[in-house]
Amino acid sequence: MDRKARKFGLALAITTVGIMGHAHAQSPATDLLDLPLDALLDTASLEDLANIIVTDTKTAQARNTVTQSIEVLLEDSIDDSPLPYRNIAGLLRQVSGQFINVLSRNDANWGAYAGLGPKYNSYLLDGLPVDAFVDTMSLDPWAFARIEAHKGPASVLYSNFLTMDFAGNVAPLAGTTNLILKERVDQTLTRIQASYGSYNTRTLRGYHQGRRNSLSYFGGISGERSNYAQYGSRNSWLQTVNDPDYDKLKYYGKVSYALAREDHTLSVFVHHTDHEGDMGRPNRDFSHAYDTLNLLYNNQLTPNLNLQMKLGERRYERQFDNDNFPDGLDLTSVNTTAQRIRPMDITMNLVHSSNALLTVGIDHQQVDYRTRFHAGALTGTENNVHATSRGAYLQEKLQWGDWVLRAGIRHNTITHDYDLLGALVPAARSARWSDNLWSVGLRYNYSESLAIFANAGSSLMAPAAKQIGGTVANPAFDSGQLANPGLGAERGVGQDIGIEWQASPTYMLRARLFRNNVNSAIVDNVIRLIPSQTLASNTANLVATGLELDLRHNASESLEWFANVTLSRTNTDDPGNPEQDATAIPFSPDQVINLGLTWRTPSSLEISAYYHWAGEYFDSTSRRTRTSLGEYGIANMRVQHGVTNPLLRGSSIFVDLNNIGDERHALPFGFEDTGFNAQIGMEYRF
Amino acid sequence: MTSILHSLSQKLPAQFLRGTLLVLLCLSGGGLQAAENPLEARVKAAYLVNLARYVSWPALPADALRICVMGSDMVGTLLRELPARLVQERPLQIVLNDEVAPASCHVLYVSAAEDWRTIVADLRGTSVLTVGDGVDFIRGGGIVGFFLEDGKVRLEISAEEAREANLRISANLMELARQAP
């Protein structure tokens, strides 16, 4: 039996469930959330009280009324997990259906969600879109209370994110991931952490939270400096002659103010990141600055009516110096990119008819994107584009006994205005796409421990300006994206069906089948590695089907473990282009396996270990130019001693051991894993 | 950051800004009070009454079973608005904030906004069931702590502190709660 089959068999054996017992359906129960206290005391058992979800995303919902499959990472698991690439997206690698490569500590993440590429799962910060590729590296994890990964189509309640940049726009067809900030502070806490590790990496972090009457606040600062190591394959565009140093400085803060009531609040969150360094060659410096602002107003107007208004600004300013590698190391040009993205959202939630929830809202997004070049005496603007997205949405959720039905629609309009593309005034100065999107969901609570769910929905994704206009002024020398002026929008449909079974108080099993279909899909194909160049093109049809199996066991207060496996079959259907017809969707492995374990000893020692296996995947739909990647396993471990709960005072030490097997596998775009690395640190909380 | 706010004010659609300000002015009220998320407060209030049902005291007076609340107006108001009911065959009496004499309570909920450490320390040796917020409450000598897990209000119970207070907690309650180490 070969290595691949052995690993698959092991994971499948772990996740396969034995005989399913017969679970009696409970009699229908009144919606406990709406009961006054008197009735709640007479109706709800202790178990019922323990199962009421009191924290809301758009609004408070009991778990058994949500049709989508949702995985939640809480604050303590965010704290306990090692982040070898300092990227929050790396935590989601453990979630089934998600395959996430973080390309390096200096770069974005890249992967696949439910068999589709990286642009089909959006990221949110408290419900407002953020960049799925950059903000997961920029935002400090200590600001988060939890992370919710919603699987399945979410294009009605949540809009696309129009980055217009290298990574392109993002549509929530395969799902959406909500990074939820801490809100109310219950106790004062200060954390100071210092660590040292491989590549001469030094990190210092500070954090403080507190509350004064109706005002909750937190803030933090962190700095990291490293000599790092070559993170690209030999002789690729990432080849180094020196250590690729980097400096990161982040500072952030949030205040939440209760206006007369705790359910009537105004909050402001700000975050700034400076990220500078060089890429290991004398004229490959980079300098980035990222700013994030979230304003949130929440008002429970009546017990049944909730109003939320959200406003954000995201600024991404990047500068790269370029040389003439491999022919020379002299400075040839400096490229700068400036993006300003302003998302807004107004949502009202109305509980009506005792068993129904109506959600109505509008959202708007405004984007300014500009790139400039400086090459010797030449200086100018390459790309200058603007984009807007306007959406109006409505969703109704009804509960009939053990059944939950959800249906929603959205009207979305995306417009582009091109002042300059590739330093030229384009023939087409604007583009506009408009569509009606839909989403439905169904859940049947067979019993308190067993539920069946199904969801479906559609999506619309416009091309990014860079995919149309390109980013390279000189295709012979420059790395980046080649122009494709004829690129069109893509439309998709996603579906899933699954079960959730709390087989016992300690065993949880989840299985989900998914199918995602994208018409006229835009796919980035790798054309050359030196310089690194891609070209976006519309394929005829992408189809991704798959199965996710999850098993979680809370064996005791001191031991918990999980295992999940994702099997995917992906296909591009492009009969008019034999070179790309019947090939696999890029960046989506055929198998992904995750195993994890956390063990706490009575002597305050905590060990968390994770194993991640990725099957084969490709970086392009083109048979001629694609590269086979994957088929590797990575093991990471964190060992902590002392106080590990993020709410408790005291001190702790930790050791992170990353890529224990020193697996230096190739990543897309010429990147390469740097191999085994370690970090040791101390933290004090008071 | 001020440049972002300045840019924001200049470039946002004017109607959106005006509408936002109008709504904020209409809906912002005076007076500053600390209170929980209403659903969370309702769940905690329900737990407090259930604690009174599932705990045994060495001796209970015949005239009342007292639940006291300090530092949480919403929980206290919810309990005080309850129609009269019997718990352990005794009338449920709710005592709030300044009216509270901690040693006279059977169940005492002290929110994180209060100086709970002093109160808990002063109640050592009595049979008052002390209830608070956050896992820190248990470490500080409290008997029952509320904590949020996966969006739900859960209980952590210190069996040792309960024994010290001569309280017997029903197995039903212990099964649902997390046991303090």
Side-chain angles (χ1 to χ4, degrees):
Chain A
M1 186 184 291
D2 63 17
R3 181 179 174 210
K4 198 163 135 178
R6 272 202 302 275
K7 288 184 184 293
F8 171 67
L10 173 64
L12 192 58
I14 291 170
T15 56
T16 298
V17 178
I19 298 171
M20 287 178 63
H22 177 69
H24 293 282
Q26 299 292 319
S27 57
T30 309
D31 186 350
L32 298 172
L33 301 179
D34 299 321
L35 293 176
L37 179 60
D38 195 32
L40 187 66
L41 286 169
D42 292 334
T43 307
S45 64
L46 285 173
E47 290 84 356
D48 289 331
L49 289 179
N51 279 316
I52 293 176
I53 292 181
V54 300
T55 56
D56 55 285
T57 50
K58 291 229 173 187
T59 190
Q61 299 182 71
R63 182 65 187 92
N64 62 354
T65 69
V66 178
T67 65
Q68 298 96 329
S69 175
I70 301 174
E71 295 233 20
V72 180
L73 299 179
L74 297 174
E75 187 179 347
D76 52 359
S77 63
I78 296 171
D79 260 16
D80 289 346
S81 302
L83 283 177
Y85 287 106
R86 316 305 196 244
N87 192 309
I88 300 163
L91 294 177
L92 295 155
R93 169 185 282 201
Q94 306 164 18
V95 175
S96 61
Q98 314 209 347
F99 171 67
I100 297 169
N101 276 320
V102 182
L103 299 177
S104 81
R105 292 182 186 180
N106 291 327
D107 291 90
N109 64 88
W110 206 259
Y113 300 84
L116 297 177
K119 298 176 292 184
Y120 301 95
N121 188 97
S122 64
Y123 277 70
L124 310 169
L125 182 66
D126 274 353
L128 273 180
V130 287
D131 192 294
F133 308 97
V134 171
D135 282 306
T136 52
M137 174 183 62
S138 165
L139 297 172
D140 194 298
W142 280 7
F144 301 126
R146 69 185 190 276
I147 299 172
E148 295 184 357
H150 294 235
K151 299 181 184 178
S155 297
V156 164
L157 292 187
Y158 300 104
S159 69
N160 291 6
F161 188 62
L162 306 178
T163 71
M164 311 302 287
D165 193 62
F166 166 72
N169 301 317
V170 177
L173 178 63
T176 188
T177 301
N178 198 0
L179 309 174
I180 299 171
L181 295 167
K182 293 171 186 171
E183 181 69 17
R184 197 187 83 173
V185 172
D186 286 325
Q187 64 184 63
T188 303
L189 183 71
T190 302
R191 301 173 68 176
I192 300 173
Q193 185 187 96
S195 68
Y196 179 81
S198 300
Y199 322 125
N200 196 27
T201 301
R202 296 91 75 199
T203 305
L204 187 62
R205 304 171 77 180
Y207 171 88
H208 176 76
Q209 67 180 37
R211 184 174 177 189
R212 186 163 292 193
N213 296 322
S214 300
L215 186 75
S216 293
Y217 57 89
F218 70 82
I221 183 168
S222 74
E224 180 166 285
R225 182 168 286 185
S226 178
N227 298 122
Y228 207 16
Q230 176 161 329
Y231 49 90
S233 56
R234 289 183 66 81
N235 300 317
S236 73
W237 65 290
L238 293 164
Q239 177 66 47
T240 61
V241 300
N242 305 310
D243 287 334
D245 303 336
Y246 70 78
D247 282 323
K248 291 182 187 177
L249 176 66
K250 304 179 186 182
Y251 45 90
Y252 57 94
K254 180 177 180 181
V255 292
S256 301
Y257 185 65
L259 300 155
R261 308 187 312 271
E262 199 70 17
D263 58 356
H264 183 196
T265 58
L266 184 65
S267 67
V268 180
F269 172 76
V270 295
H271 189 293
H272 177 79
T273 297
D274 282 317
H275 181 193
E276 298 178 345
D278 66 74
M279 295 170 70
R281 298 202 296 264
N283 288 298
R284 283 292 275 159
D285 292 358
F286 63 86
S287 176
H288 309 322
Y290 306 126
D291 290 294
T292 305
L293 169 71
N294 257 31
L295 292 170
L296 171 59
Y297 174 78
N298 178 68
N299 192 354
Q300 191 69 37
L301 297 167
T302 72
N304 292 338
L305 183 63
N306 174 268
L307 168 69
Q308 290 185 6
M309 295 192 291
K310 301 174 185 175
L311 183 63
E313 174 142 329
R314 289 88 173 89
R315 286 192 179 188
Y316 309 95
E317 298 186 357
R318 289 189 285 271
Q319 177 176 304
F320 282 103
D321 295 352
N322 301 305
D323 60 16
N324 198 23
F325 182 85
D327 296 325
L329 300 180
D330 294 336
L331 180 68
T332 57
S333 64
V334 177
N335 294 340
T336 61
T337 301
Q339 292 167 278
R340 284 179 180 75
I341 302 169
R342 298 185 186 91
M344 308 165 196
D345 181 90
I346 300 176
T347 305
M348 295 194 76
N349 288 288
L350 174 66
V351 176
H352 65 95
S353 309
S354 76
N355 280 332
L357 176 67
L358 176 68
T359 302
V360 178
I362 56 173
D363 55 39
H364 177 89
Q365 203 172 134
Q366 185 178 320
V367 180
D368 300 312
Y369 172 78
R370 189 181 66 186
T371 65
R372 291 180 60 82
F373 67 89
H374 311 268
L378 289 175
T379 185
T381 300
E382 268 189 277
N383 299 289
N384 191 7
V385 302
H386 312 278
T388 60
S389 170
R390 294 184 186 85
Y393 54 88
L394 179 150
Q395 176 175 282
E396 179 72 272
K397 189 173 75 170
L398 304 172
Q399 297 176 56
W400 283 321
D402 296 324
W403 291 88
V404 179
L405 303 174
R406 176 183 64 83
I409 56 171
R410 163 186 283 264
H411 181 74
N412 219 82
T413 301
I414 298 172
T415 59
H416 290 182
D417 293 294
Y418 309 121
D419 292 339
L420 285 175
L421 285 175
L424 301 172
V425 176
R429 297 300 305 274
S430 65
R432 184 175 184 274
W433 302 269
S434 190
D435 207 354
N436 294 317
L437 307 177
W438 56 271
S439 180
V440 295
L442 174 73
R443 184 182 178 103
Y444 176 58
N445 294 306
Y446 180 74
S447 70
E448 281 193 359
S449 58
L450 179 64
I452 300 167
F453 61 88
N455 299 276
S458 64
S459 71
L460 167 74
M461 177 134 75
K466 294 182 72 167
Q467 293 176 319
I468 295 175
T471 64
V472 298
N474 189 336
F477 299 113
D478 293 344
S479 292
Q481 187 130 27
L482 300 173
N484 186 354
L487 208 56
E490 58 181 50
R491 288 166 169 78
V493 172
Q495 306 152 70
D496 72 6
I497 185 168
I499 64 167
E500 289 179 351
W501 185 35
Q502 190 70 44
S504 76
T506 58
Y507 275 100
M508 189 283 297
L509 171 74
R510 185 161 42 215
R512 187 176 87 108
L513 278 168
F514 60 82
R515 185 179 192 276
N516 295 307
N517 178 45
V518 179
N519 295 321
S520 299
I522 301 168
V523 177
D524 282 316
N525 297 297
V526 176
I527 302 300
R528 295 165 71 178
L529 285 178
I530 301 175
S532 175
Q533 294 179 342
T534 60
L535 174 71
S537 62
N538 291 108
T539 68
N541 199 20
L542 299 180
V543 179
T545 56
L547 170 67
E548 299 164 6
L549 292 173
D550 285 85
L551 177 66
R552 190 170 290 272
H553 184 213
N554 294 327
S556 67
E557 284 288 326
S558 59
L559 179 66
E560 57 196 58
W561 60 269
F562 72 89
N564 63 62
V565 58
T566 303
L567 307 173
S568 302
R569 290 293 178 265
T570 66
N571 185 65
T572 59
D573 182 20
D574 192 2
N577 188 350
E579 211 265 315
Q580 292 194 120
D581 186 36
T583 60
I585 294 175
F587 312 113
S588 177
D590 53 356
Q591 301 168 15
V592 178
I593 298 168
N594 290 294
L595 303 170
L597 176 146
T598 299
W599 178 44
R600 301 177 191 90
T601 74
S603 57
S604 298
L605 182 71
E606 180 172 308
I607 299 172
S608 300
Y610 304 94
Y611 181 77
H612 171 81
W613 161 262
E616 186 182 34
Y617 68 97
F618 299 94
D619 64 356
S620 170
T621 52
S622 167
R623 284 193 179 82
R624 178 176 54 84
T625 62
R626 69 183 184 177
T627 301
S628 172
L629 301 165
E631 295 200 297
Y632 61 82
I634 297 280
N636 296 328
M637 179 184 290
R638 168 168 282 200
V639 181
Q640 301 184 88
H641 186 267
V643 171
T644 57
N645 187 307
L647 296 178
L648 295 183
R649 292 168 172 78
S651 61
S652 64
I653 61 172
F654 67 89
V655 176
D656 287 345
L657 304 172
N658 302 309
N659 195 349
I660 293 170
D662 198 28
E663 173 72 53
R664 300 187 186 223
H665 56 275
L667 294 167
F669 312 119
F671 288 83
E672 186 178 276
D673 195 290
T674 57
F676 173 76
N677 61 92
Q679 194 86 8
I680 183 168
M682 289 187 59
E683 179 172 327
Y684 183 58
R685 301 174 194 171
F686 58 93
Chain B
M1 199 49 57
T2 50
S3 61
I4 287 183
L5 295 174
H6 177 67
S7 168
L8 206 62
S9 65
Q10 286 195 320
K11 297 210 174 157
L12 278 174
Q15 294 91 331
F16 182 85
L17 263 181
R18 281 199 289 272
T20 303
L21 287 170
L22 184 61
V23 171
L24 284 174
L25 284 170
C26 289
L27 296 177
S28 65
L32 304 179
Q33 297 177 24
E36 289 90 356
N37 159 335
L39 181 57
E40 184 181 333
R42 202 158 4 124
V43 172
K44 286 181 179 176
Y47 266 128
L48 290 172
V49 177
N50 276 288
L51 285 170
R53 284 173 175 163
Y54 290 104
V55 171
S56 299
W57 281 262
L60 272 179
D63 60 336
L65 194 154
R66 265 183 298 280
I67 297 178
C68 305
V69 178
M70 298 178 71
S72 171
D73 288 348
M74 189 164 280
V75 172
T77 301
L78 284 169
L79 288 171
R80 191 156 259 184
E81 287 173 352
L82 273 177
R85 60 171 53 224
L86 296 178
V87 176
Q88 295 202 34
E89 306 303 316
R90 289 157 176 82
L92 191 63
Q93 183 182 16
I94 308 299
V95 186
L96 304 181
N97 296 319
D98 293 343
E99 302 167 350
V100 172
S104 72
C105 305
H106 301 107
V107 180
L108 172 62
Y109 170 54
V110 190
S111 82
E114 294 287 325
D115 181 17
W116 58 265
R117 291 181 190 276
T118 304
I119 295 170
V120 166
D122 289 345
L123 289 174
R124 281 195 167 275
T126 70
S127 292
V128 177
L129 178 72
T130 52
V131 184
D133 288 313
V135 294
D136 213 23
F137 183 80
I138 299 291
R139 309 293 182 266
I143 299 174
V144 178
F146 291 129
F147 67 96
L148 285 176
E149 180 180 75
D150 203 10
K152 303 168 190 175
V153 180
R154 303 291 307 280
L155 300 177
E156 183 169 0
I157 296 179
S158 170
E160 185 182 335
E161 294 293 341
R163 269 194 302 275
E164 290 286 331
N166 209 10
L167 297 173
R168 196 169 72 245
I169 299 179
S170 155
N172 289 348
L173 202 54
M174 295 301 281
E175 266 180 21
L176 273 180
R178 186 170 75 186
Q179 309 294 317

